[in-house]
Amino acid sequence: MFESAQLKHRVGKAAYAQEEAALRAALLNAQYDLKLDGSFPVLILIAGVEGAGKGETVNLLNEWMDPRHIRTKAFGTPSDEEAERPAHWRFWRALPPKGQVGIFFGAWHTLPIVQRVMGQIDEGDFTRQIADIQRLEQMLCDEGVLLLKYWFHLSKDQQKKRLKALAADPKTRWRVTETEWAYFKRYDRFVEVCEPFLRQTSTGAAPWIVVPGADARFRALTVGRHLLAALRERLDAKAAKASPEKTPPLLAPSDRLNVLSALQLDQPMTRTAYERQLEKWQGRLNLAARHPRFRKLSVVAVFEGNDGAGKGGAIRRVTGALDARGYDNIPVAAPTEKKRAQPYLWRFWRPLPRRGRFAFFDRSWYGRVLVERVEGYCSEADWKRAYGEINDFEAALVRHGVVVVKFWLAVSKDEQFKRFKLREQVEFKRFKITDEDWRNREKWDAYEAAVCDMVDRTSTATAPWTLVEANNKYHARIKVLKTLCEAVESALAKPRGGTGRR
Amino acid sequence: MFESAQLKHRVGKAAYAQEEAALRAALLNAQYDLKLDGSFPVLILIAGVEGAGKGETVNLLNEWMDPRHIRTKAFGTPSDEEAERPAHWRFWRALPPKGQVGIFFGAWHTLPIVQRVMGQIDEGDFTRQIADIQRLEQMLCDEGVLLLKYWFHLSKDQQKKRLKALAADPKTRWRVTETEWAYFKRYDRFVEVCEPFLRQTSTGAAPWIVVPGADARFRALTVGRHLLAALRERLDAKAAKASPEKTPPLLAPSDRLNVLSALQLDQPMTRTAYERQLEKWQGRLNLAARHPRFRKLSVVAVFEGNDGAGKGGAIRRVTGALDARGYDNIPVAAPTEKKRAQPYLWRFWRPLPRRGRFAFFDRSWYGRVLVERVEGYCSEADWKRAYGEINDFEAALVRHGVVVVKFWLAVSKDEQFKRFKLREQVEFKRFKITDEDWRNREKWDAYEAAVCDMVDRTSTATAPWTLVEANNKYHARIKVLKTLCEAVESALAKPRGGTGRR
């Protein structure tokens, strides 16, 4: 990867001055066109060896373009806030919305490389992290992000010279500490790790661009020209947008037997039995939430189900067992414009709970493969790739020690009809029933097919779906409470919670 | 993944008979439309648990469709021929061309799963193999293959019943051996390994379709219907073909300094010195090729270079040192129609050498990122993804113990002009110069940029490019011989050859 970059590229002062003026103007124009266009975000990743001009380049880009529409974010050691969430949380939080430019300084590439160079992770772990990065970047590109990855390179000699020069100048001496020299000693090993890493994470949609770092002027023009070309290409190609690509169909339900129709939706439970059970499971859940080891865990519970199946009621019976300061309710409605300017998983990364807390999602990221699929809000290719993306997302949560519990509350078509009618009649329930509910009801079969695909493709050993027979609300609420409580108890019983649960 | 498939699906005899007739006719029609259309191949992978009807389904598909245009291939234990090539060689060999249907029975999924279930590979190896499969399948889909992956499933009870039924019937008793019962004992572990495997290798472009295997009629209709829908969707969508997708530009060479221009093309060597060196290196290479450990190795040497740079002459000086029965010369010209009906790497997988042999490629798979890029024979997205695909391909060779050596023979534009003119004048050399050579010459700069990108993006520690200064043929030939010879000697010196070489 570094063959070209190690050559002695140079640009003279006069040539630079002449080109810089034109380049700045063109970049600024492109940035404004991007803002006007508003159909995609630009994410620039800055990485590479010490002393190769990464920081200078970031400053220059902010100088050349309008810094008010650039979000520059340097990722160092994770903050407390960040360390308590899955590793990628902080990157998601900083993603630029459509029409804007984000610059990430030390993004998801840094840690795996450093850990591998230092021998803290083995080849297998490294391979797994590379695969994770490939999938993350593929997903961002599929979501329309223009992902530009610049790697600043210096040969060993060049790096040595550069560090010496910095150390000799009183104005820059502070930049060369023992850490920098320690890194320099590992230069060969660093390159040995980085080269295959760069190759494996270079794809057609998001190739690494290796920038020769030794000559400041050459480096600046290299990045500036490439950024401009990439922006213009995407902006000008907009008209020729690809038609939604065709992907193989999933299995259409060919008989009436599926995971939903196989449920016995009417489950008996009397009010008396319910009240006894409610007290029992709320008590156990409360105890579990106050267990000392719970401070190391967090819980993400997803509530999906038919309209009128009683999601809200079930959530309230769970939260009834908990300290109000220990959980968040996250109701999920149709995305706002701000949310639509981001990849669809973005708005679910943000409210992830810190350790020791619960988050209850009333509807969730599964909207992608439910309502967005059925209503055609996204392309077929989009929701089909979402199964894998959602599995990746939940796997990241579980690896971080999050207990993931997912409920589908199922009522029969008849029972739904009864509840809708009741809602229309009872004054204080009328707000709960809208024309949309009736419209959704007409698409009952399409939703059923979507739910079955969802359960088949996203019920995993570590984050399984629980299908809840909900014609009888008492039964449904107790099943939810019991499942959640047992999941937490089982995670508490393990040395490190959340993984390995079935 | 198996939630739906474990339900007790059934189809009655009469309903089956009625639907089957219509389905067969429609499938046969689709198959002929596919042949007529000729723009993509269909590859069907058949996998799943023992006794779930895999074999029956393959027979049925051959019965329902025209078997003359179906290539069915079952992969068992690799043959001698196969075991001496990299693991995927046999799959490439059997790929169906455009317009045809291929059925693979036990393809690339089988071995990793079995090895993992049996504990022969660890989680890290398994993860790496999953990543390899993801990239292989992505590449096939990018190349236009309609990849349909059917997984036949039985619950543990269903499998037990099925094996017992087979064992009880004298006509099928032979099918249930100790092996089948041994597999059955590991059912739970098998599912534990397969479920995440299926999820991770399910993508939007090539999702796994889980087929309930217990009821023969239901199973048959399930596969038949899905296959028909997938074929029709692709055939009928053909008109709406996506425009070539836009990907970020690579780094355009911004000064005249690059890995080629940095070469000193005129290297001194007298005829006398050349003849002495030639004898020395040919002798050493011959010795290396007759070394007992060479029988465990093989060598793939790639010769690329400017027109008229002396590739043929260099190859002849190498083969001059070898037993004619020990190597193959593979001249690569523009692909024939047969070759264009396959993914571009297909024609290079086929002539890979057995152990103990050399293969010399006079031009190679790098045509994808050279001539095809410059002349626009493939889309921009195609050649940009090719760097990663080529790296994967060569990594597979190296892992198998193949020594991969790659030469770029570089002459200056002036030297090329002299040689072209000479060829026109010398009678017996005239066949070597065509109008095309002169046309290519006009695109010198575009080719130069392509070569530089190629070297940067595909020169790896285990399969590096050697740039050969070739204005002086003597120097060029000796450098080639010496590089090749040292690569082989270094591989012989290692316990297992070919890896870790720089």
Side-chain angles (χ1 to χ4, degrees), chain A residues 317-346:
Chain A
R317 295 327 179 272
V318 173
T319 54
L322 301 172
D323 181 337
R325 288 159 302 181
Y327 67 85
D328 291 299
N329 274 327
I330 300 136
V332 174
T336 60
E337 200 174 341
K338 185 181 168 199
K339 287 167 183 166
R340 281 199 308 271
Q342 296 279 6
Y344 77 98
L345 280 175
W346 177 81

mmCIF file of all heavy atoms in Angstrom, chain A residues 317-346:
data_model
loop_
_atom_site.group_PDB
_atom_site.id
_atom_site.type_symbol
_atom_site.label_atom_id
_atom_site.label_comp_id
_atom_site.label_asym_id
_atom_site.label_seq_id
_atom_site.Cartn_x
_atom_site.Cartn_y
_atom_site.Cartn_z
ATOM 1 N N ARG A 317 -46.139 -2.392 33.588
ATOM 2 C CA ARG A 317 -46.042 -3.403 34.654
ATOM 3 C C ARG A 317 -44.565 -3.717 34.966
ATOM 4 O O ARG A 317 -44.235 -4.116 36.064
ATOM 5 C CB ARG A 317 -46.780 -4.694 34.272
ATOM 6 C CG ARG A 317 -48.298 -4.580 34.108
ATOM 7 C CD ARG A 317 -48.951 -3.586 35.025
ATOM 8 N NE ARG A 317 -50.398 -3.436 34.893
ATOM 9 C CZ ARG A 317 -51.011 -2.599 34.054
ATOM 10 N NH1 ARG A 317 -50.316 -1.866 33.192
ATOM 11 N NH2 ARG A 317 -52.318 -2.491 34.067
ATOM 12 N N VAL A 318 -43.707 -3.572 33.979
ATOM 13 C CA VAL A 318 -42.277 -3.791 34.231
ATOM 14 C C VAL A 318 -41.688 -2.604 34.994
ATOM 15 O O VAL A 318 -41.041 -2.760 36.029
ATOM 16 C CB VAL A 318 -41.494 -3.994 32.911
ATOM 17 C CG1 VAL A 318 -39.998 -4.060 33.176
ATOM 18 C CG2 VAL A 318 -41.973 -5.255 32.201
ATOM 19 N N THR A 319 -41.950 -1.412 34.472
ATOM 20 C CA THR A 319 -41.355 -0.230 35.114
ATOM 21 C C THR A 319 -41.925 -0.042 36.518
ATOM 22 O O THR A 319 -41.267 0.554 37.375
ATOM 23 C CB THR A 319 -41.576 1.038 34.278
ATOM 24 O OG1 THR A 319 -42.977 1.180 34.008
ATOM 25 C CG2 THR A 319 -40.831 0.954 32.964
ATOM 26 N N GLY A 320 -43.123 -0.569 36.739
ATOM 27 C CA GLY A 320 -43.719 -0.493 38.060
ATOM 28 C C GLY A 320 -42.834 -1.144 39.122
ATOM 29 O O GLY A 320 -42.949 -0.849 40.312
ATOM 30 N N ALA A 321 -41.959 -2.039 38.688
ATOM 31 C CA ALA A 321 -41.096 -2.739 39.641
ATOM 32 C C ALA A 321 -39.791 -2.010 39.883
ATOM 33 O O ALA A 321 -38.994 -2.425 40.713
ATOM 34 C CB ALA A 321 -40.801 -4.141 39.110
ATOM 35 N N LEU A 322 -39.565 -0.917 39.152
ATOM 36 C CA LEU A 322 -38.225 -0.315 39.152
ATOM 37 C C LEU A 322 -38.212 1.108 39.708
ATOM 38 O O LEU A 322 -39.213 1.818 39.642
ATOM 39 C CB LEU A 322 -37.665 -0.287 37.725
ATOM 40 C CG LEU A 322 -37.540 -1.650 37.035
ATOM 41 C CD1 LEU A 322 -37.162 -1.458 35.564
ATOM 42 C CD2 LEU A 322 -36.524 -2.522 37.751
ATOM 43 N N ASP A 323 -37.061 1.497 40.182
ATOM 44 C CA ASP A 323 -36.820 2.874 40.603
ATOM 45 C C ASP A 323 -36.862 3.770 39.367
ATOM 46 O O ASP A 323 -36.179 3.494 38.379
ATOM 47 C CB ASP A 323 -35.433 2.924 41.256
ATOM 48 C CG ASP A 323 -35.087 4.320 41.750
ATOM 49 O OD1 ASP A 323 -35.660 5.314 41.234
ATOM 50 O OD2 ASP A 323 -34.243 4.418 42.651
ATOM 51 N N ALA A 324 -37.634 4.841 39.418
ATOM 52 C CA ALA A 324 -37.825 5.682 38.237
ATOM 53 C C ALA A 324 -36.513 6.277 37.739
ATOM 54 O O ALA A 324 -36.400 6.663 36.582
ATOM 55 C CB ALA A 324 -38.813 6.809 38.548
ATOM 56 N N ARG A 325 -35.504 6.349 38.604
ATOM 57 C CA ARG A 325 -34.226 6.908 38.153
ATOM 58 C C ARG A 325 -33.365 5.874 37.432
ATOM 59 O O ARG A 325 -32.298 6.185 36.936
ATOM 60 C CB ARG A 325 -33.452 7.459 39.359
ATOM 61 C CG ARG A 325 -34.060 8.735 39.911
ATOM 62 C CD ARG A 325 -33.628 8.949 41.343
ATOM 63 N NE ARG A 325 -34.007 7.816 42.195
ATOM 64 C CZ ARG A 325 -33.779 7.746 43.496
ATOM 65 N NH1 ARG A 325 -33.168 8.734 44.105
ATOM 66 N NH2 ARG A 325 -34.157 6.684 44.182
ATOM 67 N N GLY A 326 -33.842 4.640 37.396
ATOM 68 C CA GLY A 326 -33.003 3.570 36.862
ATOM 69 C C GLY A 326 -33.340 3.127 35.449
ATOM 70 O O GLY A 326 -32.745 2.170 34.960
ATOM 71 N N TYR A 327 -34.311 3.794 34.824
ATOM 72 C CA TYR A 327 -34.671 3.342 33.480
ATOM 73 C C TYR A 327 -35.089 4.499 32.590
ATOM 74 O O TYR A 327 -35.421 5.587 33.078
ATOM 75 C CB TYR A 327 -35.792 2.292 33.527
ATOM 76 C CG TYR A 327 -37.122 2.832 34.001
ATOM 77 C CD1 TYR A 327 -38.009 3.452 33.104
ATOM 78 C CD2 TYR A 327 -37.502 2.727 35.336
ATOM 79 C CE1 TYR A 327 -39.228 3.958 33.535
ATOM 80 C CE2 TYR A 327 -38.713 3.230 35.779
ATOM 81 C CZ TYR A 327 -39.576 3.844 34.867
ATOM 82 O OH TYR A 327 -40.768 4.352 35.291
ATOM 83 N N ASP A 328 -35.062 4.257 31.279
ATOM 84 C CA ASP A 328 -35.611 5.206 30.310
ATOM 85 C C ASP A 328 -36.652 4.515 29.448
ATOM 86 O O ASP A 328 -36.429 3.393 28.988
ATOM 87 C CB ASP A 328 -34.500 5.735 29.387
ATOM 88 C CG ASP A 328 -33.531 6.634 30.126
ATOM 89 O OD1 ASP A 328 -33.996 7.676 30.630
ATOM 90 O OD2 ASP A 328 -32.350 6.277 30.212
ATOM 91 N N ASN A 329 -37.764 5.207 29.236
ATOM 92 C CA ASN A 329 -38.746 4.758 28.249
ATOM 93 C C ASN A 329 -38.464 5.462 26.943
ATOM 94 O O ASN A 329 -38.359 6.684 26.911
ATOM 95 C CB ASN A 329 -40.164 5.115 28.710
ATOM 96 C CG ASN A 329 -40.722 4.040 29.608
ATOM 97 O OD1 ASN A 329 -40.413 2.860 29.417
ATOM 98 N ND2 ASN A 329 -41.532 4.438 30.572
ATOM 99 N N ILE A 330 -38.340 4.696 25.889
ATOM 100 C CA ILE A 330 -38.048 5.313 24.598
ATOM 101 C C ILE A 330 -39.144 4.959 23.603
ATOM 102 O O ILE A 330 -39.122 3.894 22.988
ATOM 103 C CB ILE A 330 -36.654 4.856 24.096
ATOM 104 C CG1 ILE A 330 -35.598 5.284 25.109
ATOM 105 C CG2 ILE A 330 -36.345 5.464 22.727
ATOM 106 C CD1 ILE A 330 -34.591 4.244 25.410
ATOM 107 N N PRO A 331 -40.133 5.856 23.484
ATOM 108 C CA PRO A 331 -41.194 5.603 22.505
ATOM 109 C C PRO A 331 -40.666 5.945 21.119
ATOM 110 O O PRO A 331 -40.004 6.965 20.938
ATOM 111 C CB PRO A 331 -42.294 6.578 22.922
ATOM 112 C CG PRO A 331 -41.590 7.675 23.653
ATOM 113 C CD PRO A 331 -40.285 7.132 24.173
ATOM 114 N N VAL A 332 -40.895 5.066 20.159
ATOM 115 C CA VAL A 332 -40.348 5.273 18.823
ATOM 116 C C VAL A 332 -41.483 5.553 17.844
ATOM 117 O O VAL A 332 -42.354 4.708 17.655
ATOM 118 C CB VAL A 332 -39.543 4.039 18.369
ATOM 119 C CG1 VAL A 332 -39.091 4.192 16.931
ATOM 120 C CG2 VAL A 332 -38.354 3.830 19.294
ATOM 121 N N ALA A 333 -41.473 6.743 17.273
ATOM 122 C CA ALA A 333 -42.502 7.093 16.295
ATOM 123 C C ALA A 333 -41.837 7.215 14.930
ATOM 124 O O ALA A 333 -40.655 6.914 14.776
ATOM 125 C CB ALA A 333 -43.158 8.402 16.701
ATOM 126 N N ALA A 334 -42.578 7.654 13.931
ATOM 127 C CA ALA A 334 -41.996 7.881 12.608
ATOM 128 C C ALA A 334 -40.837 8.858 12.769
ATOM 129 O O ALA A 334 -40.909 9.791 13.568
ATOM 130 C CB ALA A 334 -43.044 8.446 11.663
ATOM 131 N N PRO A 335 -39.753 8.656 12.053
ATOM 132 C CA PRO A 335 -38.563 9.499 12.247
ATOM 133 C C PRO A 335 -38.801 10.949 11.830
ATOM 134 O O PRO A 335 -39.477 11.224 10.844
ATOM 135 C CB PRO A 335 -37.516 8.842 11.353
ATOM 136 C CG PRO A 335 -38.267 8.020 10.365
ATOM 137 C CD PRO A 335 -39.537 7.622 11.038
ATOM 138 N N THR A 336 -38.243 11.858 12.599
ATOM 139 C CA THR A 336 -38.274 13.265 12.226
ATOM 140 C C THR A 336 -37.284 13.503 11.099
ATOM 141 O O THR A 336 -36.492 12.636 10.748
ATOM 142 C CB THR A 336 -37.822 14.136 13.407
ATOM 143 O OG1 THR A 336 -36.481 13.734 13.729
ATOM 144 C CG2 THR A 336 -38.706 13.936 14.608
ATOM 145 N N GLU A 337 -37.308 14.723 10.568
ATOM 146 C CA GLU A 337 -36.394 15.049 9.475
ATOM 147 C C GLU A 337 -34.946 14.881 9.918
ATOM 148 O O GLU A 337 -34.113 14.362 9.196
ATOM 149 C CB GLU A 337 -36.640 16.483 9.022
ATOM 150 C CG GLU A 337 -36.104 16.749 7.634
ATOM 151 C CD GLU A 337 -36.492 18.140 7.167
ATOM 152 O OE1 GLU A 337 -37.434 18.720 7.739
ATOM 153 O OE2 GLU A 337 -35.839 18.619 6.239
ATOM 154 N N LYS A 338 -34.657 15.309 11.147
ATOM 155 C CA LYS A 338 -33.302 15.192 11.674
ATOM 156 C C LYS A 338 -32.851 13.734 11.687
ATOM 157 O O LYS A 338 -31.708 13.412 11.385
ATOM 158 C CB LYS A 338 -33.272 15.775 13.092
ATOM 159 C CG LYS A 338 -31.882 15.816 13.696
ATOM 160 C CD LYS A 338 -31.910 16.383 15.107
ATOM 161 C CE LYS A 338 -30.578 16.139 15.794
ATOM 162 N NZ LYS A 338 -30.666 16.243 17.249
ATOM 163 N N LYS A 339 -33.766 12.863 12.056
ATOM 164 C CA LYS A 339 -33.412 11.448 12.132
ATOM 165 C C LYS A 339 -33.272 10.843 10.750
ATOM 166 O O LYS A 339 -32.454 9.964 10.532
ATOM 167 C CB LYS A 339 -34.467 10.695 12.954
ATOM 168 C CG LYS A 339 -34.364 11.005 14.432
ATOM 169 C CD LYS A 339 -35.577 10.526 15.201
ATOM 170 C CE LYS A 339 -35.460 10.928 16.667
ATOM 171 N NZ LYS A 339 -36.752 10.780 17.369
ATOM 172 N N ARG A 340 -34.088 11.321 9.818
ATOM 173 C CA ARG A 340 -33.988 10.779 8.461
ATOM 174 C C ARG A 340 -32.687 11.204 7.784
ATOM 175 O O ARG A 340 -32.300 10.636 6.771
ATOM 176 C CB ARG A 340 -35.194 11.212 7.613
ATOM 177 C CG ARG A 340 -36.445 10.388 7.878
ATOM 178 C CD ARG A 340 -37.442 10.529 6.737
ATOM 179 N NE ARG A 340 -37.711 11.916 6.419
ATOM 180 C CZ ARG A 340 -38.667 12.654 6.984
ATOM 181 N NH1 ARG A 340 -39.436 12.126 7.916
ATOM 182 N NH2 ARG A 340 -38.853 13.900 6.625
ATOM 183 N N ALA A 341 -32.014 12.205 8.343
ATOM 184 C CA ALA A 341 -30.743 12.651 7.771
ATOM 185 C C ALA A 341 -29.587 11.762 8.212
ATOM 186 O O ALA A 341 -28.440 12.053 7.944
ATOM 187 C CB ALA A 341 -30.480 14.103 8.176
ATOM 188 N N GLN A 342 -29.888 10.673 8.911
ATOM 189 C CA GLN A 342 -28.851 9.784 9.429
ATOM 190 C C GLN A 342 -29.167 8.341 9.036
ATOM 191 O O GLN A 342 -30.327 8.024 8.747
ATOM 192 C CB GLN A 342 -28.832 9.867 10.963
ATOM 193 C CG GLN A 342 -28.448 11.229 11.514
ATOM 194 C CD GLN A 342 -26.942 11.448 11.519
ATOM 195 O OE1 GLN A 342 -26.175 10.630 11.021
ATOM 196 N NE2 GLN A 342 -26.509 12.571 12.073
ATOM 197 N N PRO A 343 -28.169 7.448 9.052
ATOM 198 C CA PRO A 343 -28.461 6.020 8.864
ATOM 199 C C PRO A 343 -29.511 5.569 9.871
ATOM 200 O O PRO A 343 -29.542 6.084 11.002
ATOM 201 C CB PRO A 343 -27.113 5.351 9.130
ATOM 202 C CG PRO A 343 -26.090 6.397 8.833
ATOM 203 C CD PRO A 343 -26.732 7.700 9.219
ATOM 204 N N TYR A 344 -30.372 4.629 9.492
ATOM 205 C CA TYR A 344 -31.552 4.360 10.317
ATOM 206 C C TYR A 344 -31.223 3.873 11.721
ATOM 207 O O TYR A 344 -32.009 4.043 12.643
ATOM 208 C CB TYR A 344 -32.499 3.381 9.610
ATOM 209 C CG TYR A 344 -32.052 1.951 9.663
ATOM 210 C CD1 TYR A 344 -32.564 1.063 10.607
ATOM 211 C CD2 TYR A 344 -31.099 1.473 8.772
ATOM 212 C CE1 TYR A 344 -32.132 -0.248 10.655
ATOM 213 C CE2 TYR A 344 -30.679 0.167 8.820
ATOM 214 C CZ TYR A 344 -31.186 -0.685 9.765
ATOM 215 O OH TYR A 344 -30.754 -1.979 9.813
ATOM 216 N N LEU A 345 -30.054 3.238 11.914
ATOM 217 C CA LEU A 345 -29.741 2.757 13.263
ATOM 218 C C LEU A 345 -29.299 3.877 14.207
ATOM 219 O O LEU A 345 -29.264 3.699 15.432
ATOM 220 C CB LEU A 345 -28.642 1.683 13.214
ATOM 221 C CG LEU A 345 -29.093 0.267 12.839
ATOM 222 C CD1 LEU A 345 -27.888 -0.651 12.706
ATOM 223 C CD2 LEU A 345 -30.070 -0.295 13.892
ATOM 224 N N TRP A 346 -28.976 5.023 13.627
ATOM 225 C CA TRP A 346 -28.421 6.132 14.395
ATOM 226 C C TRP A 346 -29.259 6.499 15.607
ATOM 227 O O TRP A 346 -28.770 6.653 16.727
ATOM 228 C CB TRP A 346 -28.246 7.333 13.462
ATOM 229 C CG TRP A 346 -27.760 8.587 14.102
ATOM 230 C CD1 TRP A 346 -26.474 8.909 14.414
ATOM 231 C CD2 TRP A 346 -28.551 9.731 14.467
ATOM 232 N NE1 TRP A 346 -26.412 10.168 14.946
ATOM 233 C CE2 TRP A 346 -27.677 10.691 14.993
ATOM 234 C CE3 TRP A 346 -29.912 10.020 14.395
ATOM 235 C CZ2 TRP A 346 -28.122 11.936 15.438
ATOM 236 C CZ3 TRP A 346 -30.360 11.249 14.850
ATOM 237 C CH2 TRP A 346 -29.462 12.192 15.369
#
